[in-house]
Amino acid sequence: MKVCFVVDKFPSLSETFVLDQIEGCLARGIEVGVVCNETTFGKERNIDDPRWRNLPGGVEQWWGALGPLRPSLRRWSGRLWDKASTALDIAFAGKLARYDVIVAHFGNNGLRVARAMKQRRITAPLVTIFHGHDVGAPMHDGTLSRYEVVFQQGALQLPVNGFFRNALIEAGAEADTVAVHHMGVNTEAIGFRGAKQGSDALAMISVCRLTEKKGIEFALRALAAMQAARPEIDWSYTVIGGGELLDAMKQLAAELGISGRVAFLGPRPHAEVKQRLGEAQVFVLPSVRAGDGDLEGIPVALMEAMAAGLTVVSTYHSGIPELVEDGKTGLLAPERDVAALAQKLVWIADNPGACASLAVAARRKVEEDFDSVRLNDAFADTLYRLAATKVAA
């Protein structure tokens, strides 16, 4: 069976879930190829693996030799860009026809494939995986119906959480073609050690790209509130990751008077991230709906922290409550509620024994519902089933 993954950039450090899924397919005997807008080989050494350069089906740019023109054309706006890019998508879509199944990550790529299928009569079943911004932004501006052609041409829509599933069905997708498929983590590769609860200082950490939806602003404000209310609590906070808000968050920490306890490390190699997670007790990710509607799916970083034994603190946001149950597998606060978030952090400092119990339950939750080995087994079964429908046709 030959499966094509359609993505924006390949390989991408911010989309390791795609690499995990591809690796899972390869391990199960599936011949994988990639069609993308841009290749990033040699640019991100953390994922510059020979496996991605030497996929059985190869790695191709959708527009072929015209691929480098895409950034220039993208400067156009509105219908002009839409018409030009769609025409080029259709013109270069013949490479998709040789596959048995097409997997598009993110709704925009599903839309491109579906439009090309409609014009080029490509018969491979299309699976579109919806992750976050591709649902949240059109929900925000009332344009979720843009995916009508995806619903019509696609065989299966796989949102990463139940919140998105309901939204797609309300937008017109047939319920029996929409199924939740979580992203996951390899729990066997993540050793559970349990957080060092009860040590002298409360060591907290966030690992994320510093964008609005990650809510790091509210983590900083909650820490300042905790320090004001309970100055006797000794704590430190490490933030790993870059992004457009890095400088603004550094400035905010200084304005709040907590910069001496907060370390912004920027992007770090995976080995160092793993080491620093091992030194922390609490993982903080107070996600929020961004101003443009951008939403989380279910953050993989939360799964990794829970599998490792950290106490996680997050928010009632998008699909996060499908992973974190307040008081049972972690702690949740309402979005943007600084006082409630500060109370959760204080509770952790005061209840190390209870946090140890949370950590055990959190590990079990990830093993049962978010283990990538199990999820990749189910995904491969789905692809084989869909490929059989093409053969039958």
Side-chain angles (χ1 to χ4, degrees), residues 160-191:
V160 299
N161 62 46
F163 178 77
F164 291 167
R165 180 179 187 271
N166 293 337
L168 294 177
I169 292 172
E170 289 179 8
E174 294 292 334
D176 60 358
T177 68
V178 189
V180 175
H181 182 78
H182 295 139
M183 297 295 101
V185 296
N186 186 342
T187 55
E188 289 188 3
I190 302 175

Side-chain angles (χ1 to χ4, degrees), residues 120-160:
R120 293 293 296 270
R121 298 182 181 178
I122 296 168
T123 59
L126 168 63
V127 178
T128 302
I129 302 178
F130 293 86
H131 289 275
H133 185 271
D134 50 354
V135 179
M139 284 179 66
H140 178 70
D141 59 24
T143 62
L144 202 55
S145 60
R146 71 176 67 170
Y147 295 125
E148 180 180 5
V149 67
V150 181
F151 304 154
Q152 293 172 347
Q153 298 292 321
L156 188 62
Q157 329 307 328
L158 295 182
V160 299

Side-chain angles (χ1 to χ4, degrees), residues 237-270:
Y237 181 41
T238 300
V239 181
I240 297 178
E244 60 266 27
L245 296 182
L246 177 58
D247 290 341
M249 293 301 99
K250 289 181 178 179
Q251 181 177 346
L252 178 60
E255 292 172 355
L256 293 171
I258 59 173
S259 56
R261 293 178 180 263
V262 181
F264 291 93
L265 303 185
R268 284 291 189 263
H270 180 71

Side-chain angles (χ1 to χ4, degrees), residues 35-238:
V35 170
C36 60
N37 294 327
E38 177 187 349
T39 60
T40 59
F41 295 117
K43 298 179 182 179
E44 298 183 6
R45 67 179 185 274
N46 289 332
I47 53 171
D48 195 15
D49 192 300
R51 290 175 298 174
W52 317 135
R53 293 177 179 267
N54 300 304
L55 292 175
V59 179
E60 302 177 83
Q61 287 190 320
W62 187 315
W63 292 359
L66 296 183
L69 295 178
R70 185 176 176 85
S72 298
L73 293 177
R74 193 67 184 89
R75 296 191 185 98
W76 297 351
S77 61
R79 298 182 65 181
L80 184 61
W81 157 252
D82 191 56
K83 287 185 175 181
S85 62
T86 299
L88 286 168
D89 283 349
I90 294 169
F92 287 94
K95 54 176 64 71
L96 300 174
R98 69 173 184 266
Y99 289 96
D100 299 307
V101 182
I102 300 169
V103 177
H105 273 274
F106 295 93
N108 64 303
N109 287 318
L111 184 58
R112 297 172 66 195
V113 175
R115 287 171 172 174
M117 290 176 68
K118 187 175 181 179
Q119 298 296 322
R120 293 293 296 270
R121 298 182 181 178
I122 296 168
T123 59
L126 168 63
V127 178
T128 302
I129 302 178
F130 293 86
H131 289 275
H133 185 271
D134 50 354
V135 179
M139 284 179 66
H140 178 70
D141 59 24
T143 62
L144 202 55
S145 60
R146 71 176 67 170
Y147 295 125
E148 180 180 5
V149 67
V150 181
F151 304 154
Q152 293 172 347
Q153 298 292 321
L156 188 62
Q157 329 307 328
L158 295 182
V160 299
N161 62 46
F163 178 77
F164 291 167
R165 180 179 187 271
N166 293 337
L168 294 177
I169 292 172
E170 289 179 8
E174 294 292 334
D176 60 358
T177 68
V178 189
V180 175
H181 182 78
H182 295 139
M183 297 295 101
V185 296
N186 186 342
T187 55
E188 289 188 3
I190 302 175
F192 177 83
R193 45 153 188 82
K196 304 169 185 175
Q197 307 294 348
S199 59
D200 292 338
L202 188 64
M204 292 170 280
I205 190 169
S206 294
V207 181
C208 63
R209 185 165 171 76
L210 293 175
T211 60
E212 183 184 356
K213 73 177 178 181
K214 298 300 180 180
I216 298 304
E217 170 191 345
F218 302 99
L220 295 172
R221 294 187 184 281
L223 288 168
M226 181 179 75
Q227 179 166 278
R230 294 284 301 277
E232 76 278 10
I233 296 176
D234 190 12
W235 59 272
S236 65
Y237 181 41
T238 300

Side-chain angles (χ1 to χ4, degrees), residues 267 301 384:
Y384 275 112

Side-chain angles (χ1 to χ4, degrees), residues 257-318:
I258 59 173
S259 56
R261 293 178 180 263
V262 181
F264 291 93
L265 303 185
R268 284 291 189 263
H270 180 71
E272 182 178 343
V273 173
K274 186 176 180 180
Q275 175 191 339
R276 291 187 179 276
L277 283 171
E279 296 168 351
Q281 299 159 267
V282 183
F283 191 91
V284 184
L285 193 68
S287 302
V288 300
R289 182 190 292 267
D292 64 356
D294 193 9
L295 298 173
E296 302 276 19
I298 302 178
V300 171
L302 282 176
M303 303 174 200
E304 292 175 335
M306 290 168 67
L310 280 75
T311 302
V312 300
V313 182
S314 192
T315 50
Y316 290 101
H317 169 86
S318 188

